[in-house]
Amino acid sequence: VQLQASGGGLVQAGGSLRLSCAYSSHTWSYPSMGWFRQAPGKEREFVASVSWSGRRIHYADSVKGRFTISRHNNENALYLQMNSLKPEDTALYYCAAGRARYEEALYREADFDSWGQGTLVTVSS
């Protein structure tokens, strides 16, 4: 699966951004999709993930209540709506895909097989 993330940019604290990830057609049965991020000088961390069905979702505690992940399988698209952004949300955001079961939402980085190139989100205080 090839992935292309977009939608990053510069926003003030408290603002919103919507990230998009377009993915290629695939032969995987039920790919789970996710977002990760890597801040300067830090390791990459999990943000959110969703199952193929869309019904199983995981969020990192740091983004719960502020970020919403969604997917449109008929459009081969994954989204991350980010509200109430904070300076600590500043990072390079990656979308990723991994082989999974129909209702399984992966969350461990090692379980994701394909990665996009990243899109930069900068939140100013």
Side-chain angles (χ1 to χ4, degrees):
V1 178
Q2 292 183 324
L3 305 159
Q4 179 78 32
S6 62
L10 174 63
V11 64
Q12 287 189 331
S16 298
L17 277 176
R18 189 193 195 204
L19 304 184
S20 300
C21 177
Y23 55 92
S24 62
S25 298
H26 56 85
T27 58
W28 297 2
S29 295
Y30 304 116
S32 174
M33 306 290 295
W35 290 97
F36 287 76
R37 66 186 182 185
Q38 186 168 20
K42 295 187 177 181
E43 293 187 351
R44 189 158 58 185
E45 65 176 4
F46 170 78
V47 175
S49 66
V50 59
S51 63
W52 173 257
S53 70
R55 288 192 288 266
R56 188 66 59 88
I57 290 175
H58 293 303
Y59 291 104
D61 288 343
S62 59
V63 306
K64 279 181 182 176
R66 300 188 299 123
F67 290 10
T68 302
I69 189 172
S70 61
R71 67 186 297 169
H72 293 246
N73 293 335
N74 58 341
E75 299 172 357
N76 283 8
L78 174 74
Y79 301 101
L80 185 69
Q81 178 65 43
M82 305 186 295
N83 298 329
S84 301
L85 282 162
K86 304 175 181 180
E88 51 263 44
D89 294 318
T90 294
L92 193 60
Y93 283 72
Y94 298 89
C95 58
R99 292 174 174 85
R101 295 182 290 274
Y102 186 76
E103 295 284 9
E104 183 180 22
L106 304 175
Y107 56 89
R108 289 189 294 259
E109 184 173 343
D111 291 332
F112 287 85
D113 303 291
S114 296
W115 294 82
Q117 85 291 357
T119 185
L120 182 62
V121 172
T122 303
V123 184
S124 62
S125 57

